[in-house]
């Protein structure tokens, strides 16, 4: 019985060690490591249980192993950059920009999203740009309830199920081809405060077993887009359901390549999970993001509960500098 308990403790530590080692090495590896990287902070629970078990078994090597694993996991459990203040961009503020992104889960939460937009508008906090993922054909039709006078500029990809998407804007838009993907990722160039600003909706495939390679490919396309935008010096916003957390190397590469900042990190919502909605906080992972170029300063980030979807919406207030 004693040897069996030691074996189980060692196996637990081995699994956690492999995942944390991949985080250290900057690789998303393969299933199931890719999936386990998403809730990496919660690996503190099995690692802590293993430490307690090793202590009870008087297994010194196991206890030391557990302490090392706990320390490394705890280091990465804190979102990189959390608590830091990004330097203010040069130049004066030319526009205050409010962004709302929401995965409405096959369009089911579209009525609630519309209600939220109306509520915020009534309080003088109308979102200037709205990104909608999983906007089904019914969702596309429901968006017409938001009058064209409120959102005169739109790029709506009308497809059913999870494949449809939409960008609504109060700012003039020039629609672009977007990024090739299984679920639509439309793009546009907005004119905000006299500046051209690239807008890109993100919704790559989730990294479930059997499609990790496709997930990596689609995130890579977003990374390539972000890198190209950074090279031409145009301000940009990339928002949506990335199906990736900051503990995924592919997501960190995207941030680095585009010189992008994760709004939740600098807007006071670094530890707020966005999926699954049903999981009580702080359980869950943050896979919905608004990423901005360095011409923007983040003023506030806030996750919003909407019924009918398994995602929390994300509302961000930004200052665009000239």
């Amino acid at each position: 019985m004693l040897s069996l308990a030691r074996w189980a403790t060692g196996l637990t530590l081995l699994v956690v060690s492999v995942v944390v080692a991949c985080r250290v090495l900057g690789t998303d590896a393969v299933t199931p490591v890719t999936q386990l990287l998403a809730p990496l902070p919660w690996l503190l629970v099995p690692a802590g249980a293993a430490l307690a078990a090793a202590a009870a078994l008087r297994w010194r090597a196991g206890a030391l192993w557990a302490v090392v694993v706990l320390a490394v996991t705890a280091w990465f459990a804190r979102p990189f950059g959390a608590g830091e203040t990004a330097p203010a961009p040069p130049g004066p503020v030319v526009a205050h920009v409010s962004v709302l992104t929401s995965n409405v889960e096959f369009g089911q939460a579209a009525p609630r999203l519309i209600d939220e937009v109306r509520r915020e508008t009534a309080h003088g906090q109308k979102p200037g740009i709205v990104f909608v993922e999983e906007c089904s054909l019914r969702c596309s039709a429901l968006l017409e309830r938001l009058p064209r006078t409120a959102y005169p500029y739109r790029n709506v990809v009308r497809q059913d199920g999870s494949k449809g998407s939409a960008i609504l804007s109060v700012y003039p838009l020039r629609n672009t081809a977007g990024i090739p993907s299984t679920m639509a990722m439309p793009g546009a160039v907005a004119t905000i405060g006299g500046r051209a600003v690239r807008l890109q909706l993100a919704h790559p495939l989730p990294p479930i077993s059997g499609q990790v390679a496709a997930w990596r490919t689609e995130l890579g396309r977003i990374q390539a887009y972000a890198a190209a935008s950074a090279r031409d010096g145009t301000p940009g916003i990339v928002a949506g359901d990335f199906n990736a957390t900051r503990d995924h190397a592919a997501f960190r590469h995207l941030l680095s390549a585009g010189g992008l900042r994760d709004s939740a990190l600098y807007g006071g919502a670094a530890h707020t999970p966005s999926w699954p909605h049903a999981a009580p906080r702080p359980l869950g992972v943050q896979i919905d993001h608004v990423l901005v170029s360095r011409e923007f300063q983040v003023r506030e980030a806030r996750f919003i509960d909407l019924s009918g979807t398994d995602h929390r919406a994300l509302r961000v207030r930004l200052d665009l500098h000239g």
Side-chain angles (χ1 to χ4, degrees):
M1 181 64 73
L2 188 63
S3 60
L4 180 61
R6 182 175 293 189
W7 181 87
T9 301
L11 181 61
T12 299
L13 285 171
L14 179 62
V15 171
V16 177
S17 296
V18 169
V19 177
V20 175
C22 287
R23 178 65 173 87
V24 172
L25 295 172
T27 175
D28 295 322
V30 296
T31 298
V33 172
T34 311
Q35 294 82 3
L36 290 174
L37 278 166
L40 184 137
W42 292 103
L43 295 182
L44 290 167
V45 175
L51 175 59
L57 293 168
R58 298 181 181 178
W59 181 24
R60 291 185 179 181
L64 178 60
W65 183 7
V67 167
V68 172
V69 170
L70 272 170
V72 178
T73 306
W75 172 260
F76 287 112
R78 175 182 180 272
F80 64 93
E84 297 179 6
T85 301
V93 175
V94 297
H96 302 295
V97 184
S98 177
V99 177
L100 177 64
T101 181
S102 178
N103 180 323
V104 292
E105 193 178 6
F106 306 109
Q108 297 174 136
R112 258 59 67 191
L113 175 63
I114 292 169
D115 290 343
E116 178 65 21
V117 171
R118 287 172 171 165
R119 187 188 68 80
E120 300 221 2
T121 300
H123 286 82
Q125 299 177 337
K126 176 182 176 181
I129 305 167
V130 182
F131 295 86
V132 190
E133 304 86 60
E134 295 197 19
C135 188
S136 63
L137 293 175
R138 177 174 176 269
C139 167
S140 298
L142 287 172
L143 290 179
E144 294 300 323
R145 293 182 182 177
L146 292 172
R148 293 281 171 165
T149 52
Y151 289 96
Y153 308 101
R154 308 182 181 206
N155 188 357
V156 181
V157 180
R158 290 176 171 81
Q159 295 189 45
D160 211 3
S162 66
K163 294 184 177 181
S165 294
I167 302 174
L168 310 183
S169 173
V170 301
Y171 307 104
L173 292 184
R174 175 172 57 83
N175 293 342
T176 63
I179 296 174
S181 57
T182 305
M183 297 179 286
M185 294 198 285
V189 177
T191 302
I192 305 175
R195 300 200 66 175
V197 177
R198 294 181 184 269
L199 307 180
Q200 179 59 54
L201 184 145
H203 195 200
L205 287 166
I208 61 176
S209 179
Q211 63 183 42
V212 170
W215 166 79
R216 189 176 282 114
T217 296
E218 294 192 354
L219 269 176
R221 290 173 185 162
I222 303 173
Q223 176 184 330
Y225 162 87
S229 298
R231 284 194 296 272
D232 72 17
T234 304
I237 300 171
V238 187
D241 171 11
F242 287 76
N243 280 310
T245 73
R246 286 184 292 266
D247 286 307
H248 284 118
F251 185 77
R252 296 195 304 278
H253 294 333
L254 190 167
L255 290 172
S256 177
L260 298 171
R261 293 171 176 155
D262 193 344
S263 296
L265 193 66
Y266 296 101
H271 295 280
T272 306
S274 66
W275 179 90
H277 177 278
R281 302 187 193 194
L283 299 178
V285 294
Q286 191 178 106
I287 60 176
D288 299 87
H289 308 276
V290 173
L291 310 182
V292 297
S293 61
R294 298 184 185 277
E295 291 81 6
F296 289 94
Q297 186 166 26
V298 181
R299 290 299 181 190
E300 179 192 28
R302 178 171 58 91
F303 284 92
I304 302 167
D305 292 323
L306 297 179
S307 61
T309 175
D310 55 352
H311 288 253
R312 290 185 173 95
L314 173 59
R315 171 69 182 272
V316 172
R317 293 194 303 114
L318 307 165
D319 286 345
L320 173 62
H321 288 247

